[in-house]
Amino acid sequence: MTGRHSLEFFAATSGPARPGTAQPLMAEPTGLEPTSVVVIGGGIAGLVTAWEVARAGRAVTLFEATSSVGGCIARHRVADLDLDAGAESFAIATRAVLDLIDDLGLSSRVVSPNPAGAWVRHARGSAPLPTDSLLGIPAHPLAGDVRRVLGPIGATRAALDLLLPRRVGGTAATLGGMVTRRMGRTVVKRLVEPVAGGVYSTDPDELELDSAQPALRAAVSRTGSLATAVRRLRATSARPGSAVAGLTGGLYTLVEALRADLERLGGLVLTDTAVRAAAQAADGWRVLVGDDQVGADDVVLAVPGADISRILALVDVDVPPTAAVTNTVRLVTLVVEHPALDAHPRGTGILVSRHASGVAAKALTHATAKWAWLAQAAGPGRHVLRLSYGRGDDDLPSDLVGTALRDASVLLGVDLDRSHLIDSDVIGWTSALPRPQPGHRAAMATLKGQIAQQPGLHLTGSMVDGTGLAAVITGARTAATRLLSVTTQADGPRPADR
């Protein structure tokens, strides 16, 4: 039976699902053993959910369509160095990531970056990024490092935030709208826009405020100003000092430890295995994998929005269009040798405003300046530079390595060409980064409500839980807790455990 006919048979035998109604499928799954829980998607959300389920003693099978798990946390080898191919640090405003690291026994490997910090490049030049800020929003608008970026007029306008009525900006839908009304456009163009572009690959005027920073609106309402709200939110950070941390050896080691412990607990991880559809059955769920089906009591979706629509084509769930709005990002890694880079001319890197001319990159990380362990691994004179491209609405250059060398020269003030290049690699991330526009949060709440009406169906991931490792881990652990709570309350044995 071909895959196409298998899918048609699956659909024909299932019929349209209705909330709370089991639909008939094939009498027995073929080829794959039934399991208690199926997790679809092997990114960090899927891995954490599966791991929590396995820790609770449930049988779990995780399906990942690509050749590796971890999603945007991955590794690649460049110039004989094992490097992060995606995310290389995590926010420490909450303990979400640190708690997971503790649970996996990796606490001794947590490291802080070089305190020199990053720079920002805008239309008028480059300057160190103010240290006391949140998404570029300054906590102290008249501080010297803020005035250096904004200029005296821009800084004075930003400081008016402290005098404005607390209701100003309270109804703003976007991050850019809130900051503009309270601190002015100069703050948006020179600070918030390059930071938001680096984190979310989108313009702050299109970025939904409540998705980017869910606590910010309420904090402004409580404190009366945006600057004070930023100070309060930063004061709750899990660790003082830098707002981020990393792991010695690379953040990808977190994924490797997570998978290893999941498998130690009996969890089954199948890569290069795409799930084609899922539907309710008389005794739980059936999941179509290739030409086979696997039975399960619970199904967890931890995939991009476009995949959810396809997988749940037989289920009474309407996936909103905003779920499929994602970004394409390219990360160029350069390993170069140039003595001028030993001085770390732009600290740990530089965030680039879209209004800055002559540069296509949206950010550059001087990784060997940022992480002491990596500088030691690279050896004297060798430097690792990471440049990212793609803001959601622009075309990517065809020769990314050549473009990255030119951009690095401009951003770092050091002439770099192919004679300085030891090795390079280009990694593409497609449909992995949601772009939350106004209305996204409400649409995701509606989607989660529909999913909750389907017994045994669960949803997690950055699309619904928010961008950033902390938000994704929190969402995954919450999804696992709910799944296990429903199981505990159910009467009688679970079908897959009989």
Side-chain angles (χ1 to χ4, degrees), residues 156-472:
T156 301
R157 169 61 186 91
L160 288 178
D161 160 68
L162 298 167
L163 304 176
L164 292 174
R166 69 181 62 208
R167 67 177 181 276
V168 173
T171 60
T174 66
L175 177 65
M178 166 70 85
V179 179
T180 296
R181 295 175 195 180
R182 296 210 62 91
M183 290 190 171
R185 288 302 294 176
T186 301
V187 175
V188 175
K189 289 183 177 181
R190 299 190 184 182
L191 288 174
V192 177
E193 190 271 323
V195 174
V199 175
Y200 295 97
S201 298
T202 193
D203 192 284
D205 291 329
E206 300 177 0
L207 180 61
E208 185 178 52
L209 172 63
D210 294 332
S211 292
Q213 273 294 327
L216 187 58
R217 190 189 305 275
V220 172
S221 178
R222 287 194 307 271
T223 65
S225 78
L226 187 54
T228 307
V230 168
R231 290 199 294 272
R232 294 284 176 85
L233 291 175
R234 282 184 56 85
T236 62
S237 174
R239 296 174 69 184
S242 174
V244 300
L247 290 177
T248 298
L251 192 57
Y252 67 83
T253 59
L254 173 63
V255 167
E256 295 179 349
L258 194 55
R259 175 175 181 169
D261 204 46
L262 169 59
E263 293 178 327
R264 180 189 65 81
L265 292 166
L268 179 62
V269 178
L270 298 176
T271 56
D272 291 313
T273 309
V275 170
R276 305 176 65 194
Q280 290 174 316
D283 59 348
W285 286 82
R286 293 289 185 268
V287 177
L288 180 65
V289 183
D291 291 333
D292 292 328
Q293 294 184 48
V294 59
D297 304 315
D298 293 274
V299 172
V300 179
L301 295 164
V303 293
D307 291 332
I308 292 176
S309 299
R310 172 180 55 80
I311 293 170
L312 296 185
L314 306 174
V315 182
D316 188 18
V317 170
D318 295 321
V319 181
T322 182
V325 179
T326 57
N327 291 312
T328 296
V329 176
R330 295 290 183 270
L331 177 68
V332 183
T333 298
L334 308 175
V335 179
V336 299
E337 193 165 13
H338 197 301
L341 294 177
D342 295 343
H344 305 164
R346 292 295 180 267
T348 60
I350 187 164
L351 296 163
V352 185
S353 166
R354 67 167 64 248
H355 305 290
S357 60
V359 178
K362 65 188 183 75
L364 177 150
T365 299
H366 190 164
T368 40
K370 186 173 184 177
W371 306 110
W373 68 264
L374 182 55
Q376 183 176 3
R382 291 206 304 176
H383 295 267
V384 177
L385 308 176
R386 292 161 37 106
L387 294 95
S388 55
Y389 295 84
R391 298 178 186 270
D393 59 356
D394 49 359
D395 295 327
L396 299 177
S398 56
D399 177 18
L400 278 173
V401 172
T403 300
L405 283 167
R406 290 190 294 273
D407 285 350
S409 298
V410 173
L411 294 173
L412 298 172
V414 175
D415 290 332
L416 293 169
D417 56 38
R418 291 188 182 271
S419 68
H420 302 107
L421 184 64
I422 300 172
D423 198 4
S424 64
D425 194 21
V426 179
I427 299 291
W429 299 107
T430 303
S431 299
L433 301 173
R435 188 164 40 147
Q437 297 174 326
H440 176 82
R441 190 175 177 87
M444 292 304 100
T446 299
L447 176 60
K448 286 192 287 187
Q450 293 182 51
I451 294 290
Q453 296 301 311
Q454 306 290 335
L457 187 62
H458 313 271
L459 180 64
T460 189
S462 60
M463 182 188 72
V464 292
D465 298 324
T467 301
L469 193 55
V472 172

